[in-house]
């Protein structure tokens, strides 16, 4: 297992380029099951989660080949409709194959993803939407078993207690493309990654309208064919660099971004006191002046994404005054708070919020990453802290950020990846040699 060793006290300066969005690439790859033709997807980030989705597609019989940042996928020979627990448990986005398998083959058995470090994550809305399209679904021995001789268009409401569902909208929208008749998804997720999936499907011959709004309409077609598609920029990766720049009082330019997808993040950073210049596909952020505390809440798009909540928490720990950070999407997504406290932050949890008494000196130490975005928050805090930090369990980070240490080092940071021998060394003798098994069970499923 690797860890990152971060020398704190740096100021980020320079230029950084972001990759394509993980959360667009994954459902697009899953939806490729629907297509009967040549599929080329460009700007696919080289991440562990993308590798997991490739393995899942290959386990179903698809061919997946990568050349640079382009994936070629051929699903014409898919013969298996079973998504096994061994792959699904590694990544929740695997559930995105359910709708496409049902729509193309009329049957699917897909493992339930199980528990998660960022809180309760049911898939009841996915099942409700697919059932409304006419699928017969049951849960058996940890698997969703689905059958549908012919999906039929329907009027579906996908709102839930945490707002809409991103991957649930992807699942239902993809399945509805091959359903007979017209489907309306109400309270659909408006996230840019959902719209990007819609554009991919339309490129292959689907008839989807209302993308990016809460009402998506789909007219079913007989089949989908070839497509070449370029994945949208990763707004969460871009936001992570912007927040890291602010936390280190730096001055950076972030390239290959889509600023319209980041309006709420830009506004929050400006409220904190950063100066931001927006160009067509570039953000320049300067946080060299004094910063001020704020209250912010993570909500569905276009509000501040829950996937930036942890990073904002790390930033606000460096800013004098009382800040409040709330997460309305995943109200328990706060495991990073106690690790930030170990670095000297003053953070108190109050329900779905944390109250941060910011501006205390952060000091480098050994911390443990608990999920993907929590890892990013710990890296940000470590960059701003005095001294050296070791960030352990960074396999989480590798699921969602490609070459993070190289990119940060290009901005003047000192971040080194090292094998983390300590976990093994500190284990009792009778457990040593057991690391492969324990590593294999570390599924986090962001
Ligand atoms: N929800 C339900 N029922 C469902 C589905 C969701 O009640 O059937 C609730 C959830 O409990 C939550 C809210 O709805 O309160 C939103 O969950 P959503 O389904 O939108 O999350 P997701 O689709 O499982 C995606 C991203 C997450 C991101 C969330 C929210 C992918 C692959 N994952 O998850 O990304 O946090 O949307 O924006 O797209 C990450 O990248 O670090 C990550 C966790």
């Amino acid at each position: 297992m690797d860890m990152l060793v971060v020398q704190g006290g740096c100021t980020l300066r320079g230029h950084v380029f972001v990759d394509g969005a993980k959360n667009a690439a994954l459902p697009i790859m899953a939806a490729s099951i629907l297509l009967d033709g040549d599929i080329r997807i460009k700007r696919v980030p080289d991440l562990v989660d993308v590798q997991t989705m490739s393995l899942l597609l290959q386990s179903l019989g698809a061919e997946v080949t990568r050349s640079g940042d382009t994936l070629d996928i051929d699903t014409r020979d898919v013969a298996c409709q079973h998504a096994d627990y061994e792959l699904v448990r590694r990544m929740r986005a695997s559930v995105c194959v359910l709708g496409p398998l049902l729509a193309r083959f009329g049957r699917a058995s897909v493992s339930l993803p199980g528990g998660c470090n960022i809180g309760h994550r049911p898939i009841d809305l996915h099942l409700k939407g697919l059932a409304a399209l006419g699928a017969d679904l049951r849960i058996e021995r940890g698997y969703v078993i689905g059958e549908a001789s012919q999906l039929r268009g329907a009027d579906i409401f996908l709102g839930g207690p945490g707002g809409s569902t991103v991957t649930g909208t992807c699942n239902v929208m993809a399945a509805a493309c091959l359903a007979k008749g017209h489907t309306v998804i109400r309270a659909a997720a408006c996230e840019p990654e959902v719209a990007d999936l819609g554009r991919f499907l339309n490129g292959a011959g689907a008839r989807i309208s209302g993308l990016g709004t809460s009402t998506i309409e789909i007219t079913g077609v007989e089949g989908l064919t070839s497509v070449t598609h370029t994945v949208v920029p990763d707004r969460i990766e871009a936001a992570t660099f912007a927040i890291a720049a602010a936390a280190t009082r730096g001055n950076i330019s972030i390239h290959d971004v889509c600023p319209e997808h980041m309006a709420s993040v830009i506004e929050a950073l400006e409220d904190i006191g950063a100066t931001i210049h927006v160009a067509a596909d570039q953000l320049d952020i300067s946080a060299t002046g004094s910063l001020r505390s704020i209250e912010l809440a993570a909500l569905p798009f276009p509000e501040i994404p829950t996937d930036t909540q942890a990073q904002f928490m790390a930033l606000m720990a460096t800013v004098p005054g009382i800040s409040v950070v709330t997460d309305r999407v995943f109200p328990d997504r706060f495991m990073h708070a106690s690790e930030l406290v170990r670095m000297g932050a003053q953070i108190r949890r109050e329900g779905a919020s944390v109250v941060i008494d910011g501006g205390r000196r952060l000091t480098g130490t050994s911390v443990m990453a608990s999920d993907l975005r929590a890892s990013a928050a710990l890296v940000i805090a470590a960059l701003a802290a005095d001294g050296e930090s070791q960030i352990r369990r960074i396999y989480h980070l590798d699921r969602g950020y490609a070459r993070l240490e190289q990119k940060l080092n290009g901005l003047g940071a000192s971040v080194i990846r090292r094998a983390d021998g300590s976990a093994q060394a500190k284990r009792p003798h009778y457990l040593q040699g057991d690391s492969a098994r324990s590593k294999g069970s570390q599924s986090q499923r962001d």
Side-chain angles (χ1 to χ4, degrees):
M1 209 186 301
D2 288 345
M3 66 174 176
L4 288 184
V5 180
V6 181
Q7 303 301 329
C10 75
T11 299
L12 296 185
R13 287 196 190 91
H15 299 262
V16 67
F17 293 78
V18 306
D19 289 311
K22 163 183 87 81
N23 289 346
L26 295 174
I28 285 173
M29 290 173 71
S32 70
I33 291 170
L34 290 168
L35 275 62
D36 187 10
D38 298 324
I39 305 161
R40 175 158 285 185
I41 313 170
K42 297 181 176 176
R43 207 180 184 197
V44 180
D46 193 5
L47 301 168
V48 171
D49 274 6
V50 168
Q51 288 160 17
T52 304
M53 185 59 87
S54 300
L55 286 175
L56 178 56
L57 292 177
Q58 284 162 344
S59 77
L60 302 175
E63 270 181 35
V64 184
T65 43
R66 178 184 273 278
S67 160
D69 70 353
T70 297
L71 282 189
D72 286 308
I73 302 182
D74 187 339
T75 59
R76 280 172 279 218
D77 288 334
V78 164
C80 168
Q81 294 85 39
H82 175 80
D84 201 78
Y85 178 63
E86 280 310 309
L87 287 168
V88 176
R89 73 186 178 85
R90 296 191 202 170
M91 181 183 73
R92 290 187 63 88
S94 308
V95 78
C96 290
V97 300
L98 178 60
L101 283 174
L102 273 170
R104 174 146 171 220
F105 300 103
R107 60 173 179 270
S109 76
V110 176
S111 172
L112 283 167
C116 179
N117 274 358
I118 68 177
H120 184 50
R121 295 180 76 183
I123 61 160
D124 57 309
L125 296 170
H126 300 232
L127 302 184
K128 172 183 158 185
L130 294 170
L133 291 175
D136 185 10
L137 299 161
R138 60 185 192 279
I139 309 284
E140 229 171 61
R141 297 171 187 260
Y143 281 78
V144 182
I145 313 285
E147 278 161 33
S149 48
Q150 171 67 67
L151 295 180
R152 293 191 181 276
D155 198 313
I156 303 164
F157 179 77
L158 276 190
S164 186
T165 163
V166 172
T167 50
T169 304
C170 292
N171 239 332
V172 176
M173 178 171 77
C177 287
L178 296 188
K180 213 172 179 56
H182 193 72
T183 297
V184 182
I185 305 177
R186 300 184 196 279
C190 302
E191 271 67 7
E193 294 76 17
V194 177
D196 203 36
L197 168 65
R199 280 190 292 274
F200 165 81
L201 291 165
N202 279 345
R207 291 177 58 198
I208 306 172
S209 61
L211 292 168
T213 76
S214 58
T215 306
I216 295 178
E217 302 201 33
I218 306 127
T219 302
V221 295
E222 285 295 315
L224 299 174
T225 55
S226 303
V227 64
T228 297
H229 179 81
T230 303
V231 173
V232 281
D234 195 323
R235 62 194 169 105
I236 307 299
E237 187 194 9
T240 300
F241 285 117
I243 295 168
T248 63
R249 309 302 187 259
N251 184 351
I252 69 170
S253 296
I254 310 171
H255 300 267
D256 289 350
V257 299
C258 186
E260 306 95 86
H261 295 168
M262 299 179 63
S264 55
V265 168
I266 292 170
E267 190 178 286
L269 286 166
E270 285 175 337
D271 286 349
I272 292 165
T275 305
I276 298 189
H277 177 259
V278 178
D281 64 351
Q282 180 180 335
L283 280 187
D284 301 325
I285 167 160
S286 170
T288 49
S290 66
L291 301 186
R292 43 187 181 269
S293 57
I294 53 160
E295 286 193 18
L296 60 83
L299 285 158
F301 190 81
E303 304 294 335
I304 291 177
T306 171
D307 293 341
T308 63
Q309 174 261 107
Q311 300 90 312
F312 269 114
M313 195 188 298
L315 165 61
M316 298 327 296
T318 72
V319 176
I322 302 290
S323 290
V324 181
V325 173
T326 302
D327 198 325
R328 297 263 173 243
V329 180
F330 293 117
D332 288 319
R333 192 179 199 174
F334 290 125
M335 282 177 79
H336 40 281
S338 44
E339 295 300 291
L340 292 172
V341 167
R342 295 192 59 253
M343 299 180 78
Q346 293 264 323
I347 300 175
R348 192 179 73 247
R349 168 114 186 243
E350 284 185 10
S353 303
V354 295
V355 179
I356 305 154
D357 187 355
R360 311 294 168 119
R361 197 165 66 98
L362 298 183
T363 48
T365 185
S366 236
V367 286
M368 204 78 95
S370 56
D371 75 81
L372 168 54
R373 308 305 171 186
S375 319
L378 296 178
V379 171
I380 290 170
L383 290 169
D386 289 343
E388 181 180 291
S389 296
Q390 298 90 35
I391 302 173
R392 304 213 141 102
R393 296 197 181 161
I394 53 140
Y395 53 86
H396 294 289
L397 208 58
D398 294 333
R399 298 186 47 202
Y401 293 92
R403 304 178 308 281
L404 183 69
E405 65 270 33
Q406 283 102 311
K407 290 187 182 187
L408 287 172
N409 291 342
L411 294 169
S414 168
V415 182
I416 299 170
R417 180 181 290 257
R418 258 195 218 142
D420 183 359
S422 66
Q424 180 77 0
K426 285 188 183 140
R427 303 182 94 201
H429 179 67
Y430 60 85
L431 280 181
Q432 288 188 16
D434 209 21
S435 61
R437 202 180 323 149
S438 72
K439 189 174 175 185
S441 67
Q442 283 152 351
S443 54
Q444 298 306 327
R445 317 173 183 103
D446 299 331

